[in-house]
């Protein structure tokens, strides 16, 4: 059995796989990592391998624990990825973006792919049909947009995302919801349209914590999978073992 671990900016996500089947998902705060991962390995004592990618901070004690109890793979910039990285500043490219790009290449071969990760930030990553990673874009995610309106104005309240059906906000709160949710959807649809105009046979993958919330609002045809990064870690681990 294998566990894949995604250390994000605010949360840690873990998936348990038995061969290619996902058994269970976990999500918790970094401060709880040691206890939670210990409990996961106790629940699944047949776990022999683990693979981790991190854009956040993970206590060294947790890494040592994983190294002691599993065969640990740490994905970093030295990892052999299944694409040509043509990013102008490759060392600054987030590991999370590289992992989902690898997952897109391995799952959707010989296609143009656009991976949209709607998490703390919204990232756009484009890999062409010849497996060249060309780059993309980064913009603020839903939570950041709500918080910024509260932080940088005197009177706008701090709200949480919610389901909306309106474009015209008939109150300050509804105007904020409309501006943020509809604005993000128009942004994503706009990026997809731009990429589609120049790239035929474009496969679009929407992932991240807000993927399911946004997917039903988008006009474009997409593959929505909120756990694509965790699945990509599994796929990348298999690729690395086979090409070692």
């Amino acid at each position: 059995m294998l566990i894949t671990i995604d250390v994000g900016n605010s949360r840690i996500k873990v998936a348990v796989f038995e061969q290619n089947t996902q058994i269970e998902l976990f999500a918790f705060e970094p401060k709880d990592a040691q206890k939670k991962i210990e409990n996961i390995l106790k629940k699944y004592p047949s776990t022999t391998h683990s693979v981790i990618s991190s854009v956040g901070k993970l206590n060294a004690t947790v890494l040592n624990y994983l190294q002691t109890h599993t065969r640990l793979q740490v994905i970093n910039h030295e990892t052999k990825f299944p694409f040509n990285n043509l990013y102008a500043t490759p060392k600054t490219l987030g590991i999370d973006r590289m992992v989902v790009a690898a997952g897109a290449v391995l799952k959707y071969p010989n296609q143009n792919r656009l991976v949209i990760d709607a998490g703390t930030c919204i990232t756009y990553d484009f890999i062409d049909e010849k497996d060249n990673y060309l780059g993309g874009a980064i913009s603020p995610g839903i939570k950041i947009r709500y918080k910024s309106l509260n932080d940088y104005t005197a009177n706008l309240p701090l709200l949480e995302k919610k389901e909306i059906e309106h474009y015209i906000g008939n109150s300050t709160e509804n105007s904020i919801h409309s501006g943020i949710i509809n604005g993000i959807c128009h942004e994503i649809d706009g990026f997809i349209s731009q990429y589609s105009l120049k790239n035929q046979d474009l496969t679009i993958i929407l992932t991240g914590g807000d993927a399911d919330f946004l997917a039903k609002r988008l006009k474009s045809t997409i593959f929505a999978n909120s756990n694509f990064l965790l699945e990509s870690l599994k796929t990348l681990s298999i690729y690395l073992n086979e090409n070692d």
Side-chain angles (χ1 to χ4, degrees):
M1 297 182 75
L2 165 73
I3 61 170
T4 63
I5 305 166
D6 165 30
V7 182
N9 290 299
S10 56
R11 292 173 71 77
I12 296 174
K13 295 180 181 179
V14 178
V16 181
F17 290 92
E18 186 169 12
Q19 295 182 349
N20 286 323
T21 303
Q22 182 180 288
I23 304 298
E24 192 168 0
L25 286 170
F26 303 87
F28 43 85
E29 295 182 7
K31 65 182 179 64
D32 300 322
Q34 182 72 33
K35 182 178 180 180
K36 294 289 187 181
I37 289 176
E38 286 180 8
N39 289 338
I40 291 168
L41 292 183
K42 287 176 182 177
K43 185 174 182 179
Y44 296 100
S46 298
T47 301
T48 56
H49 291 68
S50 61
V51 56
I52 186 169
S53 68
S54 175
V55 296
K57 293 182 180 180
L58 186 65
N59 193 301
T61 304
V62 179
L63 284 174
N64 291 334
Y65 182 83
L66 287 166
Q67 286 176 327
T68 301
H69 292 84
T70 67
R71 182 180 174 184
L72 174 65
Q73 286 177 308
V74 178
I75 305 302
N76 55 40
H77 287 97
E78 306 307 316
T79 299
K80 182 180 179 181
F81 288 89
F83 55 79
N84 303 314
N85 191 347
L86 302 183
Y87 206 54
T89 55
K91 295 298 184 182
T92 70
L93 182 58
I95 292 298
D96 53 341
R97 297 176 69 185
M98 298 177 75
V99 170
V100 294
V105 167
L106 294 170
K107 187 169 184 178
Y108 303 102
N110 306 314
Q111 302 173 45
N112 293 306
R113 311 91 164 174
L114 176 63
V115 185
I116 305 167
D117 191 339
T120 302
C121 294
I122 302 173
T123 57
Y124 301 82
D125 294 288
F126 178 73
I127 314 96
D128 70 16
E129 60 188 354
K130 296 181 180 179
D131 296 340
N132 295 308
Y133 176 90
L134 300 178
I138 304 172
S139 71
I142 291 179
K143 189 172 183 179
I144 290 177
R145 297 187 196 208
Y146 277 110
K147 191 172 187 305
S148 66
L149 287 181
N150 176 249
D151 284 348
Y152 292 102
T153 64
N155 298 311
L156 294 181
L158 178 60
L159 304 177
E160 297 286 335
K161 72 181 181 187
K162 74 170 190 177
E163 302 285 345
I164 61 169
E165 297 180 356
H166 57 269
Y167 278 94
I168 301 174
N170 61 1
S171 67
T172 297
E173 290 194 4
N174 285 340
S175 295
I176 291 172
H177 289 308
S178 178
I180 291 173
I181 303 304
N182 292 322
I184 284 178
C185 290
H186 286 306
E187 173 192 306
I188 293 174
D189 278 325
F191 269 108
I192 291 172
S193 294
Q194 283 186 313
Y195 279 96
S196 298
L197 284 173
K198 294 185 178 181
N199 302 280
Q200 295 181 343
D201 301 321
L202 181 66
T203 296
I204 303 147
I205 305 117
L206 177 66
T207 188
D210 288 320
D212 293 336
F213 179 82
L214 293 170
K216 54 194 172 186
R217 294 176 169 80
L218 298 175
K219 297 177 181 178
S220 306
T221 302
I222 59 174
F223 294 104
N225 181 350
S226 60
N227 299 309
F228 188 67
L229 195 153
L230 290 168
E231 293 180 11
S232 295
L233 280 171
K234 181 260 298 179
T235 308
L236 179 58
S237 177
I238 293 171
Y239 167 83
L240 292 171
N241 291 333
E242 290 176 348
N243 292 274
D244 191 1

Tab-separated table of all heavy atoms in Angstrom, residues 144-198:
chain	number	residue	atom	x	y	z
A	144	ILE	N	-8.508	34.235	-0.384
A	144	ILE	CA	-7.666	35.434	-0.399
A	144	ILE	C	-8.468	36.644	-0.861
A	144	ILE	O	-8.318	37.750	-0.333
A	144	ILE	CB	-6.435	35.220	-1.303
A	144	ILE	CG1	-5.463	34.223	-0.669
A	144	ILE	CG2	-5.715	36.543	-1.568
A	144	ILE	CD1	-4.262	33.910	-1.525
A	145	ARG	N	-9.334	36.457	-1.840
A	145	ARG	CA	-10.115	37.579	-2.365
A	145	ARG	C	-11.096	38.113	-1.315
A	145	ARG	O	-11.248	39.326	-1.162
A	145	ARG	CB	-10.835	37.166	-3.649
A	145	ARG	CG	-9.848	36.796	-4.756
A	145	ARG	CD	-10.528	36.559	-6.085
A	145	ARG	NE	-9.585	35.854	-6.974
A	145	ARG	CZ	-9.589	35.939	-8.291
A	145	ARG	NH1	-10.476	36.695	-8.916
A	145	ARG	NH2	-8.715	35.266	-9.016
A	146	TYR	N	-11.751	37.200	-0.619
A	146	TYR	CA	-12.636	37.656	0.456
A	146	TYR	C	-11.849	38.408	1.528
A	146	TYR	O	-12.253	39.472	1.990
A	146	TYR	CB	-13.359	36.469	1.091
A	146	TYR	CG	-14.593	36.009	0.355
A	146	TYR	CD1	-14.607	34.796	-0.326
A	146	TYR	CD2	-15.755	36.774	0.353
A	146	TYR	CE1	-15.738	34.362	-0.999
A	146	TYR	CE2	-16.899	36.348	-0.317
A	146	TYR	CZ	-16.888	35.150	-0.991
A	146	TYR	OH	-18.014	34.719	-1.660
A	147	LYS	N	-10.709	37.844	1.914
A	147	LYS	CA	-9.916	38.452	2.988
A	147	LYS	C	-9.345	39.799	2.571
A	147	LYS	O	-9.300	40.743	3.372
A	147	LYS	CB	-8.788	37.512	3.402
A	147	LYS	CG	-8.071	37.928	4.688
A	147	LYS	CD	-7.096	36.855	5.137
A	147	LYS	CE	-6.506	37.200	6.507
A	147	LYS	NZ	-5.871	38.505	6.598
A	148	SER	N	-8.933	39.933	1.323
A	148	SER	CA	-8.321	41.184	0.875
A	148	SER	C	-9.337	42.329	0.881
A	148	SER	O	-8.985	43.474	1.202
A	148	SER	CB	-7.707	41.025	-0.520
A	148	SER	OG	-8.699	40.796	-1.491
A	149	LEU	N	-10.578	42.052	0.540
A	149	LEU	CA	-11.600	43.103	0.572
A	149	LEU	C	-11.813	43.616	1.993
A	149	LEU	O	-12.023	44.813	2.209
A	149	LEU	CB	-12.920	42.583	-0.001
A	149	LEU	CG	-12.985	42.386	-1.511
A	149	LEU	CD1	-14.359	41.880	-1.918
A	149	LEU	CD2	-12.655	43.674	-2.262
A	150	ASN	N	-11.740	42.715	2.946
A	150	ASN	CA	-11.881	43.115	4.351
A	150	ASN	C	-10.629	43.818	4.861
A	150	ASN	O	-10.707	44.821	5.576
A	150	ASN	CB	-12.187	41.881	5.201
A	150	ASN	CG	-12.258	42.178	6.685
A	150	ASN	OD1	-11.396	41.763	7.448
A	150	ASN	ND2	-13.286	42.899	7.105
A	151	ASP	N	-9.460	43.333	4.461
A	151	ASP	CA	-8.193	43.888	4.953
A	151	ASP	C	-7.918	45.284	4.415
A	151	ASP	O	-7.349	46.127	5.120
A	151	ASP	CB	-7.024	42.969	4.569
A	151	ASP	CG	-6.943	41.725	5.420
A	151	ASP	OD1	-7.648	41.662	6.453
A	151	ASP	OD2	-6.192	40.793	5.055
A	152	TYR	N	-8.279	45.527	3.178
A	152	TYR	CA	-7.861	46.760	2.517
A	152	TYR	C	-8.976	47.783	2.338
A	152	TYR	O	-8.835	48.741	1.584
A	152	TYR	CB	-7.221	46.433	1.164
A	152	TYR	CG	-5.899	45.720	1.329
A	152	TYR	CD1	-5.817	44.342	1.144
A	152	TYR	CD2	-4.749	46.403	1.702
A	152	TYR	CE1	-4.621	43.667	1.319
A	152	TYR	CE2	-3.552	45.746	1.875
A	152	TYR	CZ	-3.485	44.374	1.679
A	152	TYR	OH	-2.299	43.712	1.856
A	153	THR	N	-10.087	47.568	3.021
A	153	THR	CA	-11.158	48.565	3.040
A	153	THR	C	-11.583	48.803	4.483
A	153	THR	O	-11.317	47.992	5.372
A	153	THR	CB	-12.385	48.114	2.233
A	153	THR	OG1	-12.959	46.955	2.850
A	153	THR	CG2	-12.017	47.805	0.797
A	154	ALA	N	-12.261	49.915	4.700
A	154	ALA	CA	-12.675	50.262	6.068
A	154	ALA	C	-13.991	49.617	6.463
A	154	ALA	O	-14.211	49.337	7.651
A	154	ALA	CB	-12.790	51.787	6.198
A	155	ASN	N	-14.870	49.362	5.501
A	155	ASN	CA	-16.232	48.987	5.862
A	155	ASN	C	-16.734	47.668	5.283
A	155	ASN	O	-17.851	47.258	5.610
A	155	ASN	CB	-17.198	50.099	5.424
A	155	ASN	CG	-16.910	51.419	6.124
A	155	ASN	OD1	-16.769	51.462	7.332
A	155	ASN	ND2	-16.815	52.502	5.347
A	156	LEU	N	-15.946	47.014	4.438
A	156	LEU	CA	-16.433	45.765	3.849
A	156	LEU	C	-16.201	44.598	4.803
A	156	LEU	O	-15.103	44.428	5.338
A	156	LEU	CB	-15.753	45.494	2.510
A	156	LEU	CG	-16.075	46.492	1.397
A	156	LEU	CD1	-15.370	46.096	0.113
A	156	LEU	CD2	-17.583	46.592	1.162
A	157	PRO	N	-17.231	43.782	5.022
A	157	PRO	CA	-17.113	42.682	5.997
A	157	PRO	C	-16.315	41.505	5.446
A	157	PRO	O	-16.157	41.351	4.233
A	157	PRO	CB	-18.569	42.280	6.229
A	157	PRO	CG	-19.244	42.600	4.931
A	157	PRO	CD	-18.571	43.857	4.430
A	158	LEU	N	-15.814	40.669	6.349
A	158	LEU	CA	-15.143	39.432	5.964
A	158	LEU	C	-16.202	38.339	5.837
A	158	LEU	O	-16.859	37.982	6.809
A	158	LEU	CB	-14.101	39.029	7.008
A	158	LEU	CG	-13.355	37.709	6.742
A	158	LEU	CD1	-12.595	37.767	5.426
A	158	LEU	CD2	-12.422	37.381	7.906
A	159	LEU	N	-16.365	37.808	4.634
A	159	LEU	CA	-17.388	36.806	4.366
A	159	LEU	C	-16.751	35.474	3.998
A	159	LEU	O	-15.573	35.399	3.666
A	159	LEU	CB	-18.295	37.267	3.216
A	159	LEU	CG	-18.987	38.630	3.376
A	159	LEU	CD1	-19.784	38.950	2.123
A	159	LEU	CD2	-19.877	38.646	4.615
A	160	GLU	N	-17.566	34.435	4.044
A	160	GLU	CA	-17.172	33.116	3.571
A	160	GLU	C	-17.881	32.854	2.246
A	160	GLU	O	-18.980	33.352	1.994
A	160	GLU	CB	-17.561	32.034	4.587
A	160	GLU	CG	-16.863	32.167	5.939
A	160	GLU	CD	-15.398	31.762	5.879
A	160	GLU	OE1	-15.044	30.956	4.979
A	160	GLU	OE2	-14.621	32.244	6.722
A	161	LYS	N	-17.271	32.047	1.392
A	161	LYS	CA	-17.894	31.725	0.105
A	161	LYS	C	-19.238	31.038	0.329
A	161	LYS	O	-19.438	30.342	1.332
A	161	LYS	CB	-16.982	30.839	-0.734
A	161	LYS	CG	-16.864	29.412	-0.218
A	161	LYS	CD	-15.932	28.585	-1.077
A	161	LYS	CE	-15.854	27.149	-0.537
A	161	LYS	NZ	-14.853	26.329	-1.211
A	162	LYS	N	-20.152	31.241	-0.584
A	162	LYS	CA	-21.435	30.557	-0.512
A	162	LYS	C	-22.020	30.409	-1.909
A	162	LYS	O	-21.595	31.088	-2.855
A	162	LYS	CB	-22.403	31.308	0.397
A	162	LYS	CG	-22.976	32.588	-0.191
A	162	LYS	CD	-24.110	33.111	0.690
A	162	LYS	CE	-24.858	34.245	-0.005
A	162	LYS	NZ	-26.004	34.723	0.801
A	163	GLU	N	-22.981	29.512	-2.034
A	163	GLU	CA	-23.661	29.314	-3.302
A	163	GLU	C	-24.438	30.573	-3.670
A	163	GLU	O	-25.123	31.153	-2.823
A	163	GLU	CB	-24.626	28.135	-3.210
A	163	GLU	CG	-23.981	26.813	-2.821
A	163	GLU	CD	-23.190	26.188	-3.955
A	163	GLU	OE1	-23.370	26.635	-5.113
A	163	GLU	OE2	-22.387	25.271	-3.693
A	164	ILE	N	-24.314	31.014	-4.913
A	164	ILE	CA	-25.058	32.188	-5.377
A	164	ILE	C	-25.701	31.891	-6.719
A	164	ILE	O	-25.240	31.020	-7.463
A	164	ILE	CB	-24.160	33.439	-5.495
A	164	ILE	CG1	-23.037	33.206	-6.519
A	164	ILE	CG2	-23.588	33.845	-4.146
A	164	ILE	CD1	-22.278	34.458	-6.883
A	165	GLU	N	-26.763	32.612	-7.014
A	165	GLU	CA	-27.445	32.468	-8.293
A	165	GLU	C	-27.582	33.804	-9.009
A	165	GLU	O	-28.170	33.876	-10.087
A	165	GLU	CB	-28.842	31.857	-8.085
A	165	GLU	CG	-28.810	30.450	-7.504
A	165	GLU	CD	-30.202	29.873	-7.309
A	165	GLU	OE1	-31.183	30.596	-7.561
A	165	GLU	OE2	-30.292	28.702	-6.904
A	166	HIS	N	-27.052	34.869	-8.410
A	166	HIS	CA	-27.259	36.202	-8.965
A	166	HIS	C	-25.967	36.790	-9.538
A	166	HIS	O	-24.868	36.415	-9.131
A	166	HIS	CB	-27.788	37.149	-7.879
A	166	HIS	CG	-26.874	37.229	-6.679
A	166	HIS	ND1	-27.010	36.394	-5.593
A	166	HIS	CD2	-25.808	38.033	-6.403
A	166	HIS	CE1	-26.070	36.681	-4.703
A	166	HIS	NE2	-25.331	37.657	-5.170
A	167	TYR	N	-26.136	37.684	-10.507
A	167	TYR	CA	-25.028	38.498	-10.992
A	167	TYR	C	-25.101	39.896	-10.395
A	167	TYR	O	-24.076	40.522	-10.146
A	167	TYR	CB	-25.061	38.598	-12.530
A	167	TYR	CG	-24.439	37.409	-13.211
A	167	TYR	CD1	-25.220	36.332	-13.618
A	167	TYR	CD2	-23.076	37.344	-13.440
A	167	TYR	CE1	-24.659	35.229	-14.239
A	167	TYR	CE2	-22.494	36.250	-14.062
A	167	TYR	CZ	-23.292	35.192	-14.462
A	167	TYR	OH	-22.729	34.103	-15.067
A	168	ILE	N	-26.333	40.379	-10.190
A	168	ILE	CA	-26.511	41.711	-9.629
A	168	ILE	C	-26.705	41.592	-8.127
A	168	ILE	O	-27.733	41.079	-7.661
A	168	ILE	CB	-27.729	42.427	-10.267
A	168	ILE	CG1	-27.537	42.546	-11.785
A	168	ILE	CG2	-27.925	43.806	-9.642
A	168	ILE	CD1	-28.745	43.108	-12.506
A	169	GLY	N	-25.715	42.028	-7.361
A	169	GLY	CA	-25.832	41.976	-5.910
A	169	GLY	C	-26.740	43.086	-5.407
A	169	GLY	O	-26.486	44.265	-5.679
A	170	ASN	N	-27.784	42.725	-4.665
A	170	ASN	CA	-28.737	43.736	-4.185
A	170	ASN	C	-28.433	44.196	-2.769
A	170	ASN	O	-29.248	44.844	-2.115
A	170	ASN	CB	-30.176	43.204	-4.278
A	170	ASN	CG	-30.394	41.957	-3.429
A	170	ASN	OD1	-29.473	41.494	-2.749
A	170	ASN	ND2	-31.591	41.406	-3.489
A	171	SER	N	-27.255	43.852	-2.270
A	171	SER	CA	-26.770	44.315	-0.969
A	171	SER	C	-25.254	44.279	-1.018
A	171	SER	O	-24.662	43.721	-1.959
A	171	SER	CB	-27.282	43.410	0.168
A	171	SER	OG	-26.692	42.113	0.056
A	172	THR	N	-24.617	44.865	-0.009
A	172	THR	CA	-23.150	44.850	-0.003
A	172	THR	C	-22.624	43.421	0.055
A	172	THR	O	-21.693	43.057	-0.681
A	172	THR	CB	-22.612	45.658	1.194
A	172	THR	OG1	-23.010	47.023	1.042
A	172	THR	CG2	-21.094	45.592	1.255
A	173	GLU	N	-23.207	42.599	0.907
A	173	GLU	CA	-22.743	41.211	1.011
A	173	GLU	C	-22.952	40.459	-0.307
A	173	GLU	O	-22.054	39.755	-0.778
A	173	GLU	CB	-23.454	40.493	2.160
A	173	GLU	CG	-23.023	40.986	3.530
A	173	GLU	CD	-23.465	40.062	4.649
A	173	GLU	OE1	-24.042	38.988	4.363
A	173	GLU	OE2	-23.225	40.410	5.823
A	174	ASN	N	-24.117	40.605	-0.911
A	174	ASN	CA	-24.375	39.922	-2.178
A	174	ASN	C	-23.483	40.450	-3.305
A	174	ASN	O	-23.102	39.710	-4.210
A	174	ASN	CB	-25.842	40.058	-2.566
A	174	ASN	CG	-26.734	39.156	-1.738
A	174	ASN	OD1	-26.272	38.179	-1.154
A	174	ASN	ND2	-28.025	39.485	-1.675
A	175	SER	N	-23.141	41.732	-3.236
A	175	SER	CA	-22.236	42.307	-4.238
A	175	SER	C	-20.837	41.722	-4.104
A	175	SER	O	-20.154	41.463	-5.107
A	175	SER	CB	-22.193	43.833	-4.095
A	175	SER	OG	-23.443	44.411	-4.396
A	176	ILE	N	-20.402	41.510	-2.872
A	176	ILE	CA	-19.088	40.891	-2.650
A	176	ILE	C	-19.095	39.463	-3.179
A	176	ILE	O	-18.174	39.047	-3.905
A	176	ILE	CB	-18.723	40.916	-1.149
A	176	ILE	CG1	-18.449	42.349	-0.697
A	176	ILE	CG2	-17.502	40.027	-0.878
A	176	ILE	CD1	-18.268	42.497	0.805
A	177	HIS	N	-20.128	38.707	-2.819
A	177	HIS	CA	-20.213	37.321	-3.309
A	177	HIS	C	-20.226	37.277	-4.831
A	177	HIS	O	-19.521	36.476	-5.449
A	177	HIS	CB	-21.481	36.653	-2.764
A	177	HIS	CG	-21.439	36.347	-1.305
A	177	HIS	ND1	-20.416	35.651	-0.715
A	177	HIS	CD2	-22.323	36.637	-0.300
A	177	HIS	CE1	-20.648	35.523	0.586
A	177	HIS	NE2	-21.802	36.118	0.859
A	178	SER	N	-21.021	38.151	-5.449
A	178	SER	CA	-21.102	38.160	-6.902
A	178	SER	C	-19.762	38.529	-7.523
A	178	SER	O	-19.307	37.887	-8.481
A	178	SER	CB	-22.180	39.149	-7.372
A	178	SER	OG	-22.232	39.186	-8.785
A	179	GLY	N	-19.118	39.557	-6.983
A	179	GLY	CA	-17.848	40.004	-7.544
A	179	GLY	C	-16.780	38.938	-7.473
A	179	GLY	O	-16.014	38.738	-8.439
A	180	ILE	N	-16.719	38.228	-6.356
A	180	ILE	CA	-15.655	37.232	-6.178
A	180	ILE	C	-15.972	35.944	-6.935
A	180	ILE	O	-15.154	35.465	-7.740
A	180	ILE	CB	-15.429	36.954	-4.682
A	180	ILE	CG1	-14.800	38.186	-4.025
A	180	ILE	CG2	-14.538	35.718	-4.490
A	180	ILE	CD1	-14.665	38.109	-2.524
A	181	ILE	N	-17.139	35.375	-6.711
A	181	ILE	CA	-17.452	34.081	-7.327
A	181	ILE	C	-17.609	34.214	-8.840
A	181	ILE	O	-16.990	33.463	-9.616
A	181	ILE	CB	-18.732	33.470	-6.709
A	181	ILE	CG1	-18.570	33.328	-5.180
A	181	ILE	CG2	-19.030	32.122	-7.356
A	181	ILE	CD1	-17.373	32.513	-4.748
A	182	ASN	N	-18.417	35.170	-9.278
A	182	ASN	CA	-18.585	35.348	-10.721
A	182	ASN	C	-17.291	35.822	-11.374
A	182	ASN	O	-16.974	35.436	-12.511
A	182	ASN	CB	-19.717	36.339	-11.005
A	182	ASN	CG	-21.082	35.786	-10.623
A	182	ASN	OD1	-21.336	34.607	-10.819
A	182	ASN	ND2	-21.944	36.625	-10.075
A	183	GLY	N	-16.548	36.670	-10.665
A	183	GLY	CA	-15.276	37.147	-11.213
A	183	GLY	C	-14.298	36.015	-11.454
A	183	GLY	O	-13.632	35.959	-12.510
A	184	ILE	N	-14.182	35.084	-10.512
A	184	ILE	CA	-13.279	33.944	-10.678
A	184	ILE	C	-13.738	33.050	-11.829
A	184	ILE	O	-12.921	32.583	-12.635
A	184	ILE	CB	-13.165	33.148	-9.367
A	184	ILE	CG1	-12.272	33.898	-8.376
A	184	ILE	CG2	-12.623	31.741	-9.608
A	184	ILE	CD1	-12.133	33.234	-7.027
A	185	CYS	N	-15.043	32.820	-11.914
A	185	CYS	CA	-15.545	31.970	-12.998
A	185	CYS	C	-15.269	32.590	-14.362
A	185	CYS	O	-14.869	31.894	-15.313
A	185	CYS	CB	-17.042	31.723	-12.809
A	185	CYS	SG	-17.415	30.650	-11.412
A	186	HIS	N	-15.476	33.907	-14.480
A	186	HIS	CA	-15.170	34.578	-15.751
A	186	HIS	C	-13.672	34.521	-16.040
A	186	HIS	O	-13.259	34.374	-17.201
A	186	HIS	CB	-15.644	36.033	-15.699
A	186	HIS	CG	-17.124	36.187	-15.804
A	186	HIS	ND1	-17.866	35.642	-16.830
A	186	HIS	CD2	-18.018	36.826	-15.015
A	186	HIS	CE1	-19.142	35.933	-16.672
A	186	HIS	NE2	-19.264	36.659	-15.565
A	187	GLU	N	-12.859	34.641	-14.990
A	187	GLU	CA	-11.407	34.544	-15.177
A	187	GLU	C	-11.034	33.180	-15.733
A	187	GLU	O	-10.291	33.068	-16.717
A	187	GLU	CB	-10.696	34.771	-13.847
A	187	GLU	CG	-9.194	34.520	-13.906
A	187	GLU	CD	-8.545	34.472	-12.537
A	187	GLU	OE1	-8.710	35.436	-11.762
A	187	GLU	OE2	-7.863	33.471	-12.239
A	188	ILE	N	-11.529	32.123	-15.105
A	188	ILE	CA	-11.184	30.767	-15.533
A	188	ILE	C	-11.685	30.498	-16.943
A	188	ILE	O	-10.945	29.973	-17.795
A	188	ILE	CB	-11.733	29.729	-14.533
A	188	ILE	CG1	-11.008	29.858	-13.184
A	188	ILE	CG2	-11.561	28.305	-15.083
A	188	ILE	CD1	-11.578	28.987	-12.085
A	189	ASP	N	-12.937	30.851	-17.208
A	189	ASP	CA	-13.472	30.664	-18.563
A	189	ASP	C	-12.673	31.459	-19.592
A	189	ASP	O	-12.448	30.996	-20.719
A	189	ASP	CB	-14.947	31.081	-18.609
A	189	ASP	CG	-15.888	29.989	-18.112
A	189	ASP	OD1	-15.597	28.802	-18.357
A	189	ASP	OD2	-16.906	30.326	-17.483
A	190	GLY	N	-12.222	32.648	-19.198
A	190	GLY	CA	-11.430	33.470	-20.105
A	190	GLY	C	-10.087	32.846	-20.424
A	190	GLY	O	-9.652	32.826	-21.591
A	191	PHE	N	-9.408	32.317	-19.398
A	191	PHE	CA	-8.134	31.643	-19.641
A	191	PHE	C	-8.329	30.429	-20.545
A	191	PHE	O	-7.535	30.189	-21.473
A	191	PHE	CB	-7.500	31.204	-18.310
A	191	PHE	CG	-6.585	32.221	-17.709
A	191	PHE	CD1	-6.957	32.932	-16.570
A	191	PHE	CD2	-5.345	32.474	-18.260
A	191	PHE	CE1	-6.113	33.880	-16.006
A	191	PHE	CE2	-4.485	33.418	-17.709
A	191	PHE	CZ	-4.870	34.122	-16.577
A	192	ILE	N	-9.377	29.656	-20.261
A	192	ILE	CA	-9.635	28.464	-21.077
A	192	ILE	C	-9.873	28.856	-22.530
A	192	ILE	O	-9.358	28.211	-23.460
A	192	ILE	CB	-10.832	27.675	-20.506
A	192	ILE	CG1	-10.446	27.040	-19.157
A	192	ILE	CG2	-11.286	26.594	-21.489
A	192	ILE	CD1	-11.604	26.396	-18.423
A	193	SER	N	-10.631	29.916	-22.751
A	193	SER	CA	-10.894	30.371	-24.125
A	193	SER	C	-9.610	30.775	-24.826
A	193	SER	O	-9.401	30.450	-26.002
A	193	SER	CB	-11.873	31.551	-24.102
A	193	SER	OG	-13.141	31.160	-23.631
A	194	GLN	N	-8.737	31.498	-24.125
A	194	GLN	CA	-7.471	31.925	-24.731
A	194	GLN	C	-6.613	30.733	-25.131
A	194	GLN	O	-6.057	30.688	-26.229
A	194	GLN	CB	-6.703	32.813	-23.750
A	194	GLN	CG	-7.228	34.237	-23.661
A	194	GLN	CD	-6.336	35.094	-22.776
A	194	GLN	OE1	-5.961	34.701	-21.671
A	194	GLN	NE2	-5.994	36.267	-23.256
A	195	TYR	N	-6.484	29.769	-24.219
A	195	TYR	CA	-5.669	28.597	-24.526
A	195	TYR	C	-6.294	27.766	-25.636
A	195	TYR	O	-5.586	27.223	-26.491
A	195	TYR	CB	-5.487	27.734	-23.267
A	195	TYR	CG	-4.415	28.235	-22.337
A	195	TYR	CD1	-4.723	29.035	-21.241
A	195	TYR	CD2	-3.074	27.903	-22.539
A	195	TYR	CE1	-3.739	29.497	-20.377
A	195	TYR	CE2	-2.076	28.352	-21.686
A	195	TYR	CZ	-2.422	29.149	-20.605
A	195	TYR	OH	-1.435	29.606	-19.758
A	196	SER	N	-7.621	27.654	-25.640
A	196	SER	CA	-8.309	26.840	-26.649
A	196	SER	C	-8.158	27.414	-28.047
A	196	SER	O	-8.113	26.662	-29.033
A	196	SER	CB	-9.794	26.717	-26.296
A	196	SER	OG	-9.967	26.055	-25.056
A	197	LEU	N	-8.091	28.734	-28.164
A	197	LEU	CA	-7.953	29.357	-29.476
A	197	LEU	C	-6.648	28.973	-30.155
A	197	LEU	O	-6.587	28.845	-31.380
A	197	LEU	CB	-8.027	30.886	-29.339
A	197	LEU	CG	-9.417	31.493	-29.114
A	197	LEU	CD1	-9.291	32.990	-28.830
A	197	LEU	CD2	-10.311	31.258	-30.333
A	198	LYS	N	-5.598	28.775	-29.370
A	198	LYS	CA	-4.276	28.521	-29.941
A	198	LYS	C	-3.850	27.057	-29.854
A	198	LYS	O	-2.820	26.686	-30.416
A	198	LYS	CB	-3.235	29.385	-29.222
A	198	LYS	CG	-3.420	30.879	-29.453
A	198	LYS	CD	-2.290	31.671	-28.819
A	198	LYS	CE	-2.442	33.161	-29.101
A	198	LYS	NZ	-1.339	33.957	-28.506
